[in-house]
Each structure stands twice: as C-alpha cells, then as structure tokens.
Amino acid sequence: MSDTLAATNLGEDSGTPGPANEGKRSWTERLVAPALGKHPERRESFESTSGVAIDRLYTPEDVAGQEYGRDLGYPGEFPFTRGIQPTMYRGRFWTMRQYAGFGTAEETNTRFKLLLEAGQTGLSTAFDLPTQMGFDSDHGMAMGEVGRVGVAIDSVDDMRTLLDGIPLDRVSTSMTINATASILLAFYIAVADERGIERSKLSGTIQNDILKEYIARGPSVFPVEPALRLITDIFAFCHAEVPRWNTISISGYHIREAGATAAQEIAFTFANAMEYVRRALDAGLPIDKFAPRLSFFFASHNDLFEEVAKFRAARRLYARLMRERWGAGDEAAKLRFHTQTGGVTLQAQQPLNNVVRVTVQAMAAALGGTQSLHTNGYDEALSLPTAQAATLALRTQQVLAYESGIGDTVDPLAGSYYVESLTDALEEKARGYLDRIQEIGGAAEAIAYMQEEIHRAAYEFQIAVERGDKTIVGVNKFKGQEEKLDLGQPDFSALEQSQRTKLARIKAGRDDAEVRARLEAVRAAARGSDNLMPRIIDAVKAMVTLGEISDALRTEWGVYRPA
C-alpha cells in the first residue's frame, strides 16, 4: 500500500499507537503535508530495481497478513526464511572465497596459496574462454583468448599444476565452468586419485548450469537436450562416488549481470532449478538424495534492503517450490547459496569507489544469510584483479565478519516492517514470472522469453542512467579527476605460446592407441545411455585433452545453435 501524498491518497489509519494515539493517516496529514510544502521529496515516486513501490513509511499494517510460523519461522526450520542453520554465523562465518584464474596454472596456483595464507577458507576458479568453450589452447578458435579471462586448463597435467600443494581433502574448491564441467571435474578427480585421496573426502562445487548459459552468458557448446543429459550423468555419478561435491551451482549471478532485476534473478534461477530437478527425477534419482547437493549462486548489488529481502524471499520461495512441486523433505528444501558482489556494478571511472560498493554488497549478502561469499576487487572493471585488490576484497569480508557484529545474531533485519514487506513483494513478483514460464512449458522451452525479459530490464536501467534518473557516482554525477592504477598485466602472447608448447609436448609423449580407445568409449557412451563420467575420467587419465573430449561429444551431439 502506497502512502504517496495526493488529494485522494493520504494513507490509511492503521490504528497503530503514535502521538496522541493517532495512526499513519493522521501523521501524513499533520506532519508530512506541511513538510512537503516546504521541501518536496527528491522524486514523485520511489521503487526498487524490481519495480516494487517503496512507501514513505512502513508500519505493522504493511505486514498484517504475515503469519510468523507460516512465513518466517525459526532459523533452520521450514520455510527457512530466517536461515538454513539454527545458529548461522554464531557457529561459523560464511566461507570466504576469492575468485582466481590468472593465465597459467602456475600463476593461479601462486594466487591460491597467497589467498589461503591471507585467511581465505575456500578456492574459486575462473577459466579462460577456450576452456569454457571446449577448445584446447592450440586450436584456431583459441587464438588471442588463452588465459585472458581465467586460467587455461587443457589437460590433467594443467590441473596437477593448478592444485599443487593444495590439500584437496581439507579445502573446498569451486569451479566456474558449465558446458565442459564434466571434463574439469574429471581432471580434479584424477588428481585426487593420483594422490590417494578418497573421492568421498572431496568437497567443492562445479557451476554446471547450462540453461543459464543459453539465457544470459553465451559460452554454451552442446545442444540443450544432450547438455541436460550430461548434467544428470554428473548428478548420478557424484551421488555414488563423490557425495560431498555440489554437482551444480544454479546461477542467478550471470542472469543479474546480464541486466535482470532482483525479482527476475530469483525467478529465472528457480525456473532453471525446477528443470534440473525434473530431469534428475526422470533419470530415477530420488529427490531427497540428490537435491541436498544442489547449490545456488546469486549476485549482491547496491540496493542494500532489496538485496537482503531478495535472499530471504529466495530461501522461502525455494522451500515452498520444492515442497509443493516435488514433496521434498527439509534437507532437500534448503536453499544453499554462494554470493558474489556485483561485477556489473563496478565502474572504471574512479575505481576506488568500488571498495564502498563491494562493502555494501557484502553486507547485504551477510545480512541475507549467504553460506559463501566472494568480494570483487576494486580494479576488476579494468583488468583481472591485482594481488593488492584481491587481498583488500578479502579483508573487507574479514572486517565485516570479525569487527562489525554482523554475525552475532541470526537474521538481524527480521521484523523490520520494510524488509518484511519487501520480502513478500519480491516473492510475489518472482512467482508471477515462474507461473508464466510454467505456462510456456518450463525453462528449456522458455529460453527466448527469459532472454527478452532480461534485455528489457537492462535497457530500461541503461536509459535511466543516461537520463540521470539513476545516479552512478563518478560516472554520471560527482565526476572528478580519474585515479590511475598500476595494473601490471601479463604478456598474454608469450603465455599463449608457452601453453601451446606445453600441450604439444604432452600430445607427443602419450600412447596414441590408448587415446583413440578412450575417445571411442566417450563417443559410444554419448550415443547410448551409459553414464559418461567414468569414461571421461578414464580418458583424462590417459592424457586425452579437454578439446579432444569436447570434439568427441560435438561429433555425436552437434553444437548449440540459437533459435
């Protein structure tokens, strides 16, 4: 209910005690109207990024329809609005991860060790575009892209180098990889097998969210149906062999980065999740066995209260969807998610301002109850983050955790009339999108619809910035002298040549007959219904490369072509 002042809309009396026992309507007439006569508000109306109207004041009437047990409950209990663990950060803080992927496996391994020494508690890996697209570094399509936006991983030998000295049975590793996730996971498992580490002790996450690639990012390789089959193969394999591994990180982050609103981020992410759940059930996997290993990945942007409400609404909506649609138990209905501060919000102009943006976004993630957090470096709008920027980003998390008191009580903003009202509004908006996607036939059939909605939201935001309706400090307002940063970028040309030389040496030294046999086994599984993961692991142990395995699958399945 809006209390924007107008002749026909002065707000309603809620009956809430105030001065002289008067309510919101009386307050509006007595105090707000005279104040507006002297000092008009900054805008005629206020709304969140999702188009939720923001009232001047929130009172108990704005949450009058909420029932505590049904809509909030206690932390650790359905519907998990207030958190998935009873004690949340009073037990232990969120996992502090920093994303790292720097050209070569050697450089990235060095950064990993620096971050672990600085107090990071989990690793998060970025891969270059050729690795994401299933091309080896010596492929013509990889020219000029090797190592530029992440680490180049062509073979199990690169993975050995990447993980050198990292205790895989004690450190959780996240890998941001999708179309080729099965191959990167196979590399990881092969290294663990070589070290004699039991697969049951490995913990980590592969992003493995192919629908989001079609909708928002682009680096997809295989057509939709075989790509979804590959995901369910990973689900089944890890359930049996690597039970502590999160087999998918269903990503709203990239949907938000593409321009979606907070409500669209929730809705489109869960639409994809419901598609994956359905496919897994169709493959015979029990919901309460595989669903507890599903994890999610969200963005955190600058609107502090909307972001907090988004995380709370997402937790509640996911629990309800899993219960309503699939009859899931409590463990399968818990929304476990990693958060990354908003890369698209970072600005090249006055880049030190990004430190403040990242801090606000990290606060929102912690107040919203994330299980894991990555904070961006202030220089990421310009380059791969420098060591100084990455360390400061980690220190931002540590200051929030250890000095701010943010984790001393569970869900500290619960009960705020504003936050609770916004939580309800975002859940309602997200459900509206989900209903529309359901009408279309589910996420796999609604790719074009979601793309169009994201494009529209991105366009409207950009227009608002260009008109000055939306202020970006240092960009369209408060412009000043630009700071100059020493970015110290690597020599990518030399890096690419070095990677190609290493790859040539590996190919020259392996057993070609075994390589052919392993690739044929992969192709045979792709043609049939056998689980692909054991065949891919056998192949990488025979030094078959990522590009060769991807080519074998492309031969059988073809490649994705947008409609």
Side-chain angles (χ1 to χ4, degrees):
M1 186 193 79
S2 174
D3 68 346
T4 303
L5 189 66
T8 57
N9 181 19
L10 294 175
E12 296 179 3
D13 189 341
S14 67
T16 304
N21 216 25
E22 297 169 323
K24 191 173 179 181
R25 179 186 177 92
S26 176
W27 166 79
T28 303
E29 293 173 337
R30 289 183 302 103
L31 298 179
V32 176
L36 290 177
K38 295 177 182 178
H39 303 290
E41 292 180 332
R42 289 179 286 117
R43 297 194 295 272
E44 288 187 9
S45 62
F46 292 74
E47 62 178 35
S48 75
T49 70
S50 299
V52 176
I54 306 300
D55 287 355
R56 179 179 295 115
L57 180 73
Y58 286 81
T59 69
E61 71 182 58
D62 294 291
V63 292
Q66 209 172 61
E67 293 182 16
Y68 186 85
R70 181 194 66 197
D71 300 319
L72 295 176
Y74 289 93
E77 291 183 347
F78 188 90
F80 309 108
T81 312
R82 303 200 63 187
I84 63 169
Q85 293 114 4
T87 61
M88 290 300 289
Y89 307 138
R90 286 171 66 103
R92 67 180 180 89
F93 291 117
W94 58 89
T95 301
M96 299 180 192
R97 299 184 187 274
Q98 292 305 112
Y99 200 36
F102 294 87
T104 66
E106 292 88 349
E107 291 172 307
T108 306
N109 177 261
T110 299
R111 178 64 62 86
F112 280 165
K113 290 174 178 175
L114 287 172
L115 289 169
L116 290 172
E117 289 171 7
Q120 181 169 306
T121 53
L123 301 177
S124 186
T125 313
F127 298 94
D128 70 359
L129 281 174
T131 302
Q132 294 179 50
M133 295 296 294
F135 295 115
D136 288 334
S137 296
D138 60 0
H139 195 284
M141 291 293 289
M143 187 175 296
E145 295 292 342
V146 176
R148 284 191 177 268
V149 296
V151 61
I153 301 292
D154 294 318
S155 71
V156 71
D157 191 60
D158 288 327
M159 187 63 81
R160 291 188 192 109
T161 302
L162 180 73
L163 300 174
D164 181 55
I166 305 297
L168 302 185
D169 52 348
R170 299 199 305 274
V171 172
S172 171
T173 304
S174 173
M175 295 188 283
T176 304
I177 194 70
N178 295 282
T180 55
S182 58
I183 304 170
L184 271 298
L185 177 59
F187 287 152
Y188 196 93
I189 291 170
V191 171
D193 286 351
E194 290 172 359
R195 295 189 193 175
I197 298 171
E198 295 177 19
R199 294 178 181 180
S200 62
K201 293 183 178 179
L202 299 178
S203 64
T205 304
I206 44 174
Q207 193 163 100
N208 198 27
D209 178 3
I210 199 63
L211 289 173
K212 165 266 301 163
E213 299 291 274
Y214 302 127
I215 293 163
R217 275 195 84 230
S220 54
V221 177
F222 311 116
V224 175
E225 288 303 320
L228 289 170
R229 174 262 175 106
L230 191 52
I231 288 173
T232 57
D233 278 1
I234 294 170
F235 286 176
F237 174 81
C238 288
H239 173 64
E241 299 274 343
V242 199
R244 295 177 59 199
W245 197 270
N246 296 315
T247 50
I248 193 167
S249 178
I250 306 165
S251 178
Y253 182 85
H254 301 94
I255 290 169
R256 191 69 181 278
E257 290 286 283
T261 67
Q264 289 171 341
E265 181 185 2
I266 298 170
F268 299 164
T269 304
F270 289 169
N272 291 345
M274 295 302 103
E275 186 76 36
Y276 296 134
V277 169
R278 183 176 69 79
R279 300 293 177 129
L281 291 171
D282 288 347
L285 299 175
I287 184 83
D288 289 320
K289 294 293 185 182
F290 77 85
R293 301 317 305 173
L294 301 179
S295 69
F296 290 77
F297 177 22
F298 290 110
S300 187
H301 280 205
N302 290 327
D303 189 328
L304 177 70
F305 294 108
E306 183 179 43
E307 293 302 301
V308 174
K310 178 188 77 179
F311 296 127
R312 299 175 81 249
R315 212 162 25 238
R316 184 167 69 201
L317 178 57
Y318 182 71
R320 288 172 168 172
L321 288 171
M322 293 295 280
R323 182 69 53 84
E324 293 164 5
R325 294 193 182 185
W326 315 113
D330 279 2
E331 286 302 310
K334 289 180 179 178
L335 180 72
R336 301 163 176 85
F337 64 92
H338 169 72
T339 306
Q340 181 173 336
T341 56
V344 75
T345 71
L346 303 180
Q347 305 300 325
Q349 300 93 327
Q350 301 179 22
L352 290 178
N353 294 344
N354 295 328
V355 176
V356 183
R357 294 183 177 105
V358 167
T359 303
V360 171
Q361 294 163 12
M363 284 179 60
L367 289 167
T370 192
Q371 279 67 68
S372 172
L373 178 61
H374 164 86
T375 34
N376 289 343
Y378 61 82
D379 54 4
E380 288 188 42
L382 299 165
S383 70
L384 293 171
T386 59
Q388 179 190 45
T391 301
L392 179 58
L394 177 59
R395 294 288 182 253
T396 300
Q397 294 198 50
Q398 292 165 336
V399 169
L400 286 174
Y402 292 97
E403 298 185 28
S404 75
I406 206 168
D408 290 353
T409 190
V410 181
D411 192 22
L413 293 183
S416 158
Y417 306 133
Y418 177 37
V419 171
E420 296 297 359
S421 177
L422 197 49
T423 299
D424 291 346
L426 287 172
E427 181 179 2
E428 182 180 359
K429 277 188 169 286
R431 271 197 181 269
Y433 285 115
L434 283 164
D435 289 345
R436 176 63 183 133
I437 292 166
Q438 190 84 335
E439 290 172 5
I440 294 170
E445 299 296 325
I447 289 171
Y449 165 74
M450 289 187 274
Q451 288 174 333
E452 179 61 28
E453 290 297 312
I454 293 168
H455 295 163
R456 182 181 293 111
Y459 174 77
E460 290 173 355
F461 178 85
Q462 185 59 35
I463 291 298
V465 171
E466 292 177 7
R467 287 176 179 164
D469 297 337
K470 176 72 174 176
T471 296
I472 308 294
V473 174
V475 177
N476 64 353
K477 198 171 183 180
F478 309 115
K479 299 178 184 178
Q481 186 174 357
E482 296 296 316
E483 302 117 359
K484 297 197 181 297
L485 301 178
D486 181 9
L487 301 174
Q489 291 300 288
D491 182 344
F492 287 110
S493 178
L495 183 156
E496 182 172 323
Q497 185 54 52
S498 173
Q499 189 72 10
R500 287 173 178 242
T501 300
K502 179 181 178 182
L503 187 55
R505 185 171 63 249
I506 287 170
K507 289 181 176 179
R510 63 191 183 175
D511 184 332
D512 288 342
E514 185 176 11
V515 167
R516 289 192 295 272
R518 297 303 182 193
L519 285 172
E520 177 51 39
V522 169
R523 284 193 292 270
R527 288 192 296 270
S529 59
D530 289 347
N531 193 303
L532 274 154
M533 281 304 300
R535 280 74 179 173
I536 294 173
I537 293 171
D538 288 344
V540 303
K541 287 183 176 181
M543 301 307 294
V544 181
T545 67
L546 173 136
E548 290 169 332
I549 295 170
S550 298
D551 283 344
L553 295 175
R554 275 186 277 252
T555 298
E556 300 300 328
W557 293 341
V559 296
Y560 174 69
R561 303 290 184 194

